[in-house]
Amino acid sequence: MEIKITLFITLLLYAFVTAQSFFYILAMSRTAKSMQPVTYNESRQLLDKNVQVTLKLVYYLTLISSIALTSFCVINPTGILFICSVISLILLIIDIVLSLKGNVPLNKIINTWSA
């Protein structure tokens, strides 16, 4: 039962993580291309400020639930659920590292821009 609950929570949290990427791909990319530089700068700074705390929480919760799911599934190390949970955990860690090394410094630079 713990595996099913943890799997549901983990999938739900992964949906939030991936939804953020789809938002930028589907909505913000076209919108940003049509903005004036001042408007882009202001909206980007506001978006970063308002979403930063929420995204940190979602990523940390996703990491915790993914680790929990993997540890619950270790009883069957050749099972598909364990293999998938390990792969998703590794990819989540890579995503977090890329965000910390790439997105966060870039966002800090963008947040220093003035109109």
Side-chain angles (χ1 to χ4, degrees), residues 50 67 77 92 114-115:
N50 291 320
I67 291 169
L92 179 64
S114 64

Short mmCIF file of all heavy atoms in Angstrom, two decimals, residues 50 67 77 92 114-115:
data_model
loop_
_atom_site.label_atom_id
_atom_site.label_comp_id
_atom_site.label_asym_id
_atom_site.label_seq_id
_atom_site.Cartn_x
_atom_site.Cartn_y
_atom_site.Cartn_z
N ASN A 50 7.95 35.39 -8.10
CA ASN A 50 6.73 34.75 -7.61
C ASN A 50 6.76 33.23 -7.69
O ASN A 50 6.07 32.56 -6.92
CB ASN A 50 5.52 35.28 -8.38
CG ASN A 50 5.22 36.72 -8.05
OD1 ASN A 50 5.33 37.13 -6.90
ND2 ASN A 50 4.88 37.50 -9.04
N ILE A 67 12.86 9.54 -3.83
CA ILE A 67 13.77 8.72 -3.02
C ILE A 67 12.97 7.68 -2.22
O ILE A 67 13.36 6.51 -2.13
CB ILE A 67 14.62 9.60 -2.09
CG1 ILE A 67 15.63 10.41 -2.90
CG2 ILE A 67 15.34 8.77 -1.04
CD1 ILE A 67 16.32 11.51 -2.12
N PRO A 77 14.51 -5.51 -7.06
CA PRO A 77 15.44 -4.71 -7.85
C PRO A 77 15.42 -4.99 -9.36
O PRO A 77 15.96 -4.19 -10.12
CB PRO A 77 16.82 -5.04 -7.26
CG PRO A 77 16.64 -6.31 -6.53
CD PRO A 77 15.20 -6.40 -6.13
N LEU A 92 15.85 13.43 -12.34
CA LEU A 92 15.47 14.56 -11.49
C LEU A 92 16.70 15.22 -10.87
O LEU A 92 16.80 16.46 -10.85
CB LEU A 92 14.51 14.11 -10.39
CG LEU A 92 14.05 15.20 -9.42
CD1 LEU A 92 13.23 16.27 -10.15
CD2 LEU A 92 13.26 14.60 -8.27
N SER A 114 17.96 46.45 -15.51
CA SER A 114 16.99 47.53 -15.28
C SER A 114 16.37 47.92 -16.61
O SER A 114 16.88 47.60 -17.69
CB SER A 114 17.68 48.73 -14.62
OG SER A 114 18.64 49.26 -15.50
N ALA A 115 15.27 48.62 -16.50
CA ALA A 115 14.57 49.04 -17.71
C ALA A 115 15.43 50.03 -18.50
O ALA A 115 15.38 50.10 -19.68
CB ALA A 115 13.24 49.68 -17.35
#
